């Protein structure tokens, strides 16, 4: 997932590295969580149009990244801060570089949090309605929820059997994904 490729190094930097302005920058990123999603639609739409990504999957990815990145960084930063620093230092004593210690020690210890963020990001993207509805047309790529909404016919009563079957199908991937990672999520909660 694209969000993990960006959030993991960012959260690691905020949680484990010392640099000037670290706290201020972190809190500025996390403050985006406090902004209602509907207030972000105009700036995000302007960015998507400026990049000529309107009605594309890449444009939706960008919108979902902007919305999901602060929460992902927040969760992963907290997890990286709680990991014991001596495990990483011990790996470096035995010849690992900082990057290899991160890859061989920190990432395996952070796996439950990473899987949790992956699951939350998937659920957020799977149920995304506002950005998808505003930034794309039927041919440009819709999320499952917008397709489900499009089955509601405003002119006459909806086709209930079709709507219920589509609702069942749309609900299956999150249920299956949760079933596969349930134990890892429980480990993350017990950390």
């Amino acid at each position: 997932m694209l969000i993990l490729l960006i959030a993991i190094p960012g959260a690691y930097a905020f949680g484990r590295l010392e640099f000037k302005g670290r706290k201020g920058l972190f809190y500025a990123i996390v403050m985006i969580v406090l902004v209602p999603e509907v207030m972000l639609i105009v700036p995000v739409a302007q960015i998507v149009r400026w990049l000529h990504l309107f009605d594309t999957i890449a444009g939706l990815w960008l919108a979902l990244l902007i919305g999901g990145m602060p929460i992902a960084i927040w969760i992963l930063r907290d997890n990286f801060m709680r990991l014991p620093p001596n495990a990483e230092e011990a790996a470096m004593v035995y010849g690992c570089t900082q990057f290899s210690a991160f890859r061989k020690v920190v990432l395996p210890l952070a796996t439950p949090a990473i899987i949790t963020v992956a699951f939350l990001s998937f659920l957020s993207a799977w149920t995304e309605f506002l950005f998808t509805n505003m930034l794309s047309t039927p041919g440009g790529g819709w999320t499952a929820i917008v397709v489900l909404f499009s089955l509601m016919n405003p002119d006459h009563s909806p086709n209930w059997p079709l709507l219920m079957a589509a609702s069942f199908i749309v609900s299956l991937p999150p249920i299956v994904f949760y079933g596969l990672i349930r134990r890892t999520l429980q480990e993350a909660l017990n950390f």
Side-chain angles (χ1 to χ4, degrees), residues 125-144:
W126 191 256
T127 60
E128 174 56 45
F129 182 82
L130 181 65
F131 286 124
T132 306
N133 200 27
M134 298 297 290
L135 300 176
S136 66
T137 60
W142 274 356
T143 58

Side-chain angles (χ1 to χ4, degrees), residues 163-186:
L163 194 59
M164 292 301 109
S167 298
F168 176 74
I169 291 169
V170 165
S171 67
L172 281 179
I175 292 169
V176 170
F177 190 16
Y178 175 76
L180 294 173
I181 64 167
R182 183 177 53 87
R183 287 195 178 149
T184 306
L185 287 174
Q186 288 173 345

Side-chain angles (χ1 to χ4, degrees), residues 149-169:
F149 177 74
S150 72
L151 294 176
M152 299 289 291
N153 192 342
D155 296 333
H156 33 283
S157 101
N159 182 350
W160 288 109
L162 175 66
L163 194 59
M164 292 301 109
S167 298
F168 176 74
I169 291 169

